[in-house]
Amino acid sequence: MNLEKTVKYIIERILLEEITETISIYPGAFKPPHKGHVETALKSIDDNTERVIIFMSTKEREDVDFEEAKQVWDLYKANIPELEKVEIHPTPTPVKAVYDYAKDNQTHAIRAVFGKGEEERFKSLLDKEKYPHVEVFDAGVVGDFSATNLRQAIRDKDLETIKDYIPYQVNVDDFLSIFNIQKEIKKEDRYLQEARYKKFLNEGWEDSKGKVVGDFVNYVSDYLSITKPKIKLINQEGYTQEYHSFGGYIPSEEKIMVVVHNRNMADILRTIAHEMVHHMQNLDDRLTPKSGEDGSPDENEANSLAGVIMRQFGRENPHIYE
């Protein structure tokens, strides 16, 4: 072995010995994600996997945009606990993003994941001299699913086909509502939106409901093993229109603000759960100015954990959905 090869070999060994994180990366359009995508992501997870990064294209396909596709992933995560490690990262070029990540994170053990007919994407990653830390993972063919067919089913409101294309844990109406609501939002102005949703979200606030909020805060505090934050309930008409938010967390005061005006109880509690996860991150000294950005690890964790908490609390307290 000549000197140059010896040096390369030593560097590779050092890098492999200093692996700091084990990550699966799965790129694609996902417009929208379907059962096959979910199964591929799940296959890429083993006992060592710490995160699953999904590089999702920001490009729209036949009226299905990034935000709608992300909401579908969030819906799947809220109903499938095994997806809790999944993070959604927007990018105009998903496959390039995998290569860039591999080049920039040589101390990560990376599993580059592909599904049916996509093996050519990662051909260069098989070069072990350039990418000794990368494993190219063939998830195989998971059913005969097509995002094109699913988009058509959404346009047709074909519930039977949609049911076949999404995980069994997910409610078909919940899935379809993502696209129905988003399409209406694109067409309506703010005032029409307000009228449209008022009948769904209008639930008068009564002081007696404060006990439900208090019980829920205690429940989440125990679940996350954290001290209780301060909670400020905002029963003020027009607040959400002015501040464009249903709630928020103030790290310096360890205080959560949540709007209760014209909202049902389950919706209020979901916001509280989300912000309490940010409170946990703050106590762990993990919260940063970018933590609340869409697709950030901290925001994904808040979305995922809030979904798990709501399912468990809701099973024990079904009255919150009444």
Side-chain angles (χ1 to χ4, degrees):
M1 186 179 291
N2 62 35
L3 180 59
E4 183 180 354
K5 287 187 176 180
T6 301
V7 170
K8 275 189 176 181
Y9 178 82
I10 293 172
I11 291 174
E12 288 173 8
R13 292 301 92 198
I14 292 173
L15 287 174
L16 291 174
E17 288 168 6
E18 292 180 352
I19 291 298
T20 58
E21 200 168 6
T22 302
I23 297 172
S24 291
I25 305 181
Y26 182 24
F30 308 108
K31 298 299 188 312
H34 51 60
K35 188 188 297 184
H37 296 136
V38 170
E39 290 300 321
T40 296
L42 290 174
K43 281 186 175 183
S44 76
I45 301 172
D46 59 27
D47 292 340
N48 297 318
T49 307
E50 295 169 65
R51 290 192 291 151
V52 179
I53 295 176
I54 289 182
F55 282 126
M56 184 162 68
S57 170
T58 52
K59 297 176 183 176
E60 184 175 304
R61 288 197 178 176
E62 294 179 342
D63 292 331
V64 176
D65 60 26
F66 173 85
E67 185 57 35
E68 289 167 326
K70 181 180 181 301
Q71 287 184 49
V72 173
W73 273 118
D74 288 342
L75 178 64
Y76 292 169
K77 289 175 62 177
N79 287 276
I80 306 172
E82 294 82 1
L83 292 176
E84 64 179 354
K85 295 179 180 180
V86 167
E87 303 172 5
I88 309 301
H89 292 245
T91 173
T93 53
V95 175
K96 181 178 182 296
V98 177
Y99 280 88
D100 290 344
Y101 190 96
K103 290 174 184 175
D104 295 340
N105 296 274
Q106 296 192 33
T107 61
H108 289 182
I110 296 171
R111 173 173 282 176
V113 183
F114 67 88
K116 65 176 183 178
E118 299 172 334
E119 56 269 20
E120 285 299 313
R121 290 178 163 195
F122 296 148
K123 191 173 180 180
S124 297
L125 289 176
L126 295 171
D127 186 340
K128 285 301 178 184
E129 284 198 5
K130 288 185 177 179
Y131 303 103
H133 58 304
V134 177
E135 170 198 0
V136 176
F137 181 79
D138 182 356
V141 178
V142 184
D144 187 22
F145 301 108
S146 160
T148 301
N149 292 341
L150 182 52
R151 290 194 295 270
Q152 185 62 53
I154 293 167
R155 288 193 292 272
D156 296 340
K157 295 184 172 57
D158 181 351
L159 300 186
E160 287 304 314
T161 298
I162 292 172
K163 185 177 180 180
D164 290 339
Y165 268 74
I166 66 177
Y168 74 89
Q169 300 97 322
V170 176
N171 181 277
V172 176
D173 291 332
D174 290 344
F175 174 91
L176 190 56
S177 71
I178 290 172
F179 302 95
N180 291 342
I181 291 171
Q182 288 300 316
K183 293 300 179 287
E184 291 301 324
I185 286 175
K186 290 173 183 176
K187 291 189 291 184
E188 297 171 351
D189 64 25
R190 187 183 69 180
Y191 301 104
L192 287 177
Q193 289 175 40
E194 204 170 286
R196 175 182 174 84
Y197 295 113
K198 189 171 183 181
K199 64 179 181 179
F200 295 111
L201 300 179
N202 187 11
E203 182 177 300
W205 177 258
E206 301 170 1
D207 290 341
S208 60
K209 293 179 179 178
K211 183 180 184 305
V212 180
V213 171
D215 291 342
F216 183 72
V217 171
N218 289 334
Y219 179 91
V220 180
S221 297
D222 290 341
Y223 184 92
L224 298 176
S225 299
I226 57 174
T227 57
K228 287 192 292 185
K230 302 170 188 173
I231 305 288
K232 180 176 180 180
L233 305 180
I234 302 171
N235 189 16
Q236 177 184 331
E237 185 176 0
Y239 183 94
T240 54
Q241 284 73 35
E242 182 176 354
Y243 294 99
H244 306 289
S245 174
F246 286 117
Y249 176 63
I250 304 175
S252 61
E253 300 178 32
E254 296 185 4
K255 181 168 74 174
I256 290 171
M257 302 174 69
V258 58
V259 175
V260 298
H261 181 76
N262 279 356
R263 299 181 72 195
N264 60 49
M265 180 55 73
D267 196 34
I268 293 167
L269 299 185
R270 172 73 186 222
T271 297
I272 292 174
H274 180 102
E275 300 304 336
M276 286 188 71
V277 176
H278 284 317
H279 177 55
M280 175 188 72
Q281 294 163 347
N282 184 41
L283 295 176
D284 291 344
D285 200 26
R286 293 191 283 128
L287 210 61
T288 71
K290 295 186 177 181
S291 293
E293 293 182 358
D294 288 345
S296 74
D298 293 332
E299 186 69 3
N300 287 334
E301 181 182 37
N303 286 330
S304 176
L305 277 178
V308 173
I309 291 166
M310 285 300 297
R311 285 198 305 275
Q312 295 190 11
F313 187 80
R315 282 195 291 265
E316 299 171 20
N317 302 272
H319 60 278
I320 68 172
Y321 298 109
E322 295 173 0

